[in-house]
Amino acid sequence: MIDYFLKDNWKIIEKGFDPRMNRASESVFSIGNGRMGQRANFEESYTGDSLQGSYLAGVYFPDKTRVGWWKNGYPEYFAKVINSVNWIGIRIVINGKELDINDCKIYDFYRELDMKSGLLRRECTMKLKSGEKVKIKSTRFCSMHRKDIGAVQYRIEALNFSGEISLIPYLDFDVINEDSNYEEKFWQETDKDSNSEFPYVEAKTKKLDFRVRATMHYEISKMGERLQLSVLPSERKKFIAQQSNISVKEGEVVQINKYAAIVSNFNYPDEDFKALSEDLLKKAKSAGFEKLMEEHVSVWHGMWDKHDIQIDGDVAAQQGIRFNIFHLHQTYTGEDPRLNIGPKGFTGEKYGGSTYWDTEAYCLPFYLCSADPEVARNLVKYRYNHLQKAIENAEKLGFSKGAALYPMVTMNGEECHNEWEITFEEIHRNTAIAYAIFDYVRYTDDVEYLPKYGLEVLIAISRFWSQRITFSEHKKQYVMLGVTGPNEYENNINNNWYTNYGALWCFRYTQEIIDLVKKDFPEHYKDICKKTKFTEQEIERWQDIQSNMYMPFDESKNVFLQQEGFLDKEMIPTSELPKEQRPINQHWSWDRILRSVYIKQADTLQGFYFFEHEFTKEELERHFDFYEPYTVHESSLSPCVHVIQAATINRPQKAYELYLRTSRLDLDDYNNEVAEGLHITSMAGTWMSVVKGFGGMRVEDGKLIFNPLLPDHWDSCKFNVFFRSANIEIYFDKQKVVVKNLKGNAVSISVYGESTEVAEKQQLEVDYLKHR
């Protein structure tokens, strides 16, 4: 854990430059707009340690799998959202010497991410070894209004010299992915032109034929006056640049406004690239940098007006939640149903930018409450669109009759994860996909989704569980062998409670939806049965399994066990772990981790989070008290679940402690890995920590329920949720809870059990102290 970035309600601030923190800062200060994203690499040359990163949504590469021992069923590739064109680059040459931040003396370094406006700003003074001092200021954004445009404004002031400054804006497709399995570069040049008003580089991926064209335009001024300069074009493989030389006197300021249009055949026909790119840049040039920035900022302000969470009295907590919401919105806007949310978003290479079960378990609630209804529907339908691929994935592993195993990692529905304990064993992901359907329909009341899309997915998932579960003659019960639960510090275990329980829940929920569709949508039901060759005889086995499934339980402790044999481990709580050995995944051998009791992330408690409506608060409290002391929270997805549960059982201090961990996971680098990129999907879990944890929000039988718990460190909290066409605002402090229906239909609302229907412009006020 570090304390490096300054705390501010709306900004992330770095004062002073520490090269050891550069990769971490590149991650934290990343920007994006849902279509493209950029790590906070410097515009100027920097020969120090850096992870260059520019990413385009939907553009990926199937990197050939690399494993030591190939096993049948392995995917042949690992899909990666690959590093794309470096469009921000501007080389600076001063009196013939390259301005390299790594080779200069740095003064007054200041960098800020203005989250309210979506702007990355930086300024500092640099002294070259030859003695020249310059002051630079830069502002950068990926336009939220014009999604194919990125813009940079860069100012440089000659502080102690007169002479020549050369500005060399460039576009570079000759980039690498550090995580390439075979040190392969993924781009091939198809065209370029450096000697035109709109210089460009065009490239395609070596596989899948994704094509991208990056085109730039720029304007240079001195002391506010536009300059007309001759340019010196230059080219090399996958690279173009134009050089302009400007004479300066001491104290003069030179400015370049650089615009880049980046288009791909994921969004446009490639035969339109030239006309489209030039049109985009002509319009950007006509608007000018200030107008482009104004448009962009207006979009961000509009989003914050709808989706902000306000915490008074605790700057660290306020900064943390806004940082998380900011990155969620700039990673996924929901406009394109083909896209999903990668665990690192546009901030790094790890996890390949692919879709995981994180979307269904953690991200969906955020978008249900914070976006247009179509966005959440697209996220759920994403899995329906990939159903046939999920069936093929199951077939590759030997399953049949329309059983579906959704991939652990995917870009297009195919499995592309190549670790056996994950690919073959972490099958609980199927439950998350089924649960998302339940969660979506419960929140939206979009029952028509079920006959159109949902039931087919549920049948295919239940078929998988029916085949994956076997009968033990020894136990005379059904069992599930050789799995990995959410706690990835256990592999190849038998009867993981969460996996078993999730399978049984899937059977029950599928049966419930079969009955509903059969009754209310009979023609759809007939069509589904015909399409899937489903017969109700299949339900008989599902019911038999439900009535006789082995669920590991210890009577002396009165808790469900994470898996068989869990109590055979040395039960040493995390409080006894030396700090210098944390995180254990960076200090212990994998063998030692697997033999230990330590839990990477909520496992049994994940089940109590998903299915809390099927357990009592006393049962939750008992299991929380048993498992929390052994949980190391070394998955980003872990703390948020524990926050929600700690708040539910009225443990405000524990909830607050874990809230800081989830909300500031990357800002304070709890797990010593932010240099690799941010934890985007867990950021939705941070939002859940506030709304479902401290806000106590639930939905039951069409009613919106709140049971707020205000941490001692906070003076008040306020947030909005969109619920069935109504915009609901909840505010709570140490005296009262106020729920307002700002706009929309009347909504049935309960606060601490006091229920009423709240019409538009009306509110419900409840005494906080009376209940807390």
Side-chain angles (χ1 to χ4, degrees), residues 463-714:
R463 283 172 163 172
F464 172 81
W465 290 128
S466 180
Q467 295 177 45
R468 184 61 169 77
I469 292 167
T470 56
F471 187 77
S472 165
E473 288 293 341
H474 174 69
K475 284 185 169 66
K476 301 300 181 185
Q477 287 183 285
Y478 288 99
V479 295
M480 186 119 57
L481 308 177
V483 302
T484 296
N487 172 23
E488 293 170 340
Y489 288 175
E490 303 275 6
N491 299 151
N492 201 34
I493 58 177
N494 295 334
N495 294 306
N496 171 256
W497 180 85
Y498 170 69
T499 307
N500 285 14
Y501 194 91
L504 300 186
W505 178 87
C506 286
F507 289 142
R508 292 197 301 274
Y509 184 56
T510 303
Q511 290 172 239
E512 177 187 327
I513 301 310
I514 286 171
D515 292 341
L516 182 150
V517 173
K518 186 177 179 181
K519 176 177 177 290
D520 296 342
F521 305 92
E523 293 305 314
H524 277 95
Y525 182 69
K526 290 177 185 176
D527 292 342
I528 291 169
C529 290
K530 183 177 179 180
K531 180 179 179 181
T532 64
K533 299 179 181 178
F534 173 75
T535 68
E536 293 185 8
Q537 289 179 328
E538 295 181 56
I539 297 176
E540 294 176 8
R541 176 170 166 83
W542 302 353
Q543 292 174 334
D544 190 41
I545 292 172
Q546 290 176 72
S547 65
N548 197 24
M549 185 76 184
Y550 176 71
M551 304 295 286
F553 183 81
D554 184 77
E555 293 187 2
S556 65
K557 299 185 183 299
N558 202 20
V559 295
F560 292 108
L561 298 180
Q562 182 176 274
Q563 75 263 356
E564 279 192 87
F566 184 75
L567 293 179
D568 293 334
K569 296 172 176 288
E570 289 184 301
M571 308 301 285
I572 303 171
T574 59
S575 59
E576 297 182 25
L577 275 173
K579 287 185 178 179
E580 61 271 17
Q581 294 183 21
R582 303 284 297 274
I584 61 172
N585 62 22
Q586 296 173 25
H587 294 89
W588 287 16
S589 70
W590 196 245
D591 168 74
R592 187 179 179 186
I593 289 173
L594 291 176
R595 288 186 286 107
S596 79
V597 72
Y598 300 119
I599 301 169
K600 181 184 179 187
Q601 71 185 76
D603 193 305
T604 303
L605 291 180
Q606 180 72 34
F608 275 80
Y609 163 66
F610 269 179
F611 310 118
E612 66 175 359
H613 54 287
E614 299 186 349
F615 297 97
T616 66
K617 188 177 289 188
E618 290 73 23
E619 287 175 305
L620 169 61
E621 187 168 20
R622 192 162 59 246
H623 285 79
F624 185 89
D625 287 341
F626 179 74
Y627 284 107
E628 163 60 23
Y630 303 114
T631 305
V632 290
H633 297 294
E634 290 175 10
S635 164
S636 64
L637 301 173
S638 185
C640 63
V641 171
H642 288 239
V643 173
I644 295 167
Q645 293 174 336
T648 300
I649 60 177
N650 200 29
R651 307 278 181 85
Q653 186 54 41
K654 173 56 75 171
Y656 178 77
E657 168 199 324
L658 291 168
Y659 166 76
L660 286 182
R661 184 178 183 114
T662 185
S663 67
R664 303 190 62 84
L665 179 78
D666 292 317
L667 287 174
D668 296 341
D669 202 7
Y670 272 83
N671 290 343
N672 192 30
E673 57 187 12
V674 73
E676 301 171 341
L678 306 180
H679 297 83
I680 300 299
T681 48
S682 75
M683 291 177 171
T686 300
W687 177 91
M688 292 196 308
S689 296
V690 176
V691 174
K692 291 189 171 187
F694 299 120
M697 192 194 83
R698 304 291 190 275
V699 176
E700 293 180 11
D701 300 323
K703 181 184 294 185
L704 203 54
I705 296 171
F706 297 98
N707 290 289
L709 175 68
L710 190 73
D712 292 340
H713 302 74
W714 299 1

Side-chain angles (χ1 to χ4, degrees), residues 11 24 27-28 37 54 90 165 177 207 246 358 371 391 421 487 495 498-499 509 534 564 615 672 675 718 741 766 768:
K11 295 178 179 179
S27 298
V28 167
S54 172
I90 307 170
I165 295 177
N177 265 57
K207 297 177 185 176
I246 304 103
D358 307 18
I391 291 171
E421 68 273 19
N487 172 23
N495 294 306
Y498 170 69
T499 307
Y509 184 56
F534 173 75
E564 279 192 87
F615 297 97
N672 192 30
K718 183 170 76 170
N741 186 340
V766 176
Y768 179 83

Side-chain angles (χ1 to χ4, degrees), residues 43 120-122 136-140 153-155:
E43 291 90 357
L120 175 61
R121 298 187 180 97
R122 175 172 60 96
I136 68 98
K137 291 184 178 181
S138 70
T139 302
R140 183 196 307 173
Q153 183 178 86
Y154 189 95
R155 302 174 73 242

Side-chain angles (χ1 to χ4, degrees), residues 86-97:
N86 178 358
W87 60 270
I88 63 170
I90 307 170
R91 287 182 55 221
I92 311 294
V93 178
I94 298 171
N95 290 334
K97 278 89 67 179

Side-chain angles (χ1 to χ4, degrees), residues 426-445:
E426 202 164 337
I427 53 179
H428 65 82
R429 57 198 188 247
N430 259 11
T431 294
I433 283 130
Y435 182 84
I437 297 171
F438 164 78
D439 203 21
Y440 170 77
V441 174
R442 175 176 60 176
Y443 194 86
T444 64
D445 198 33

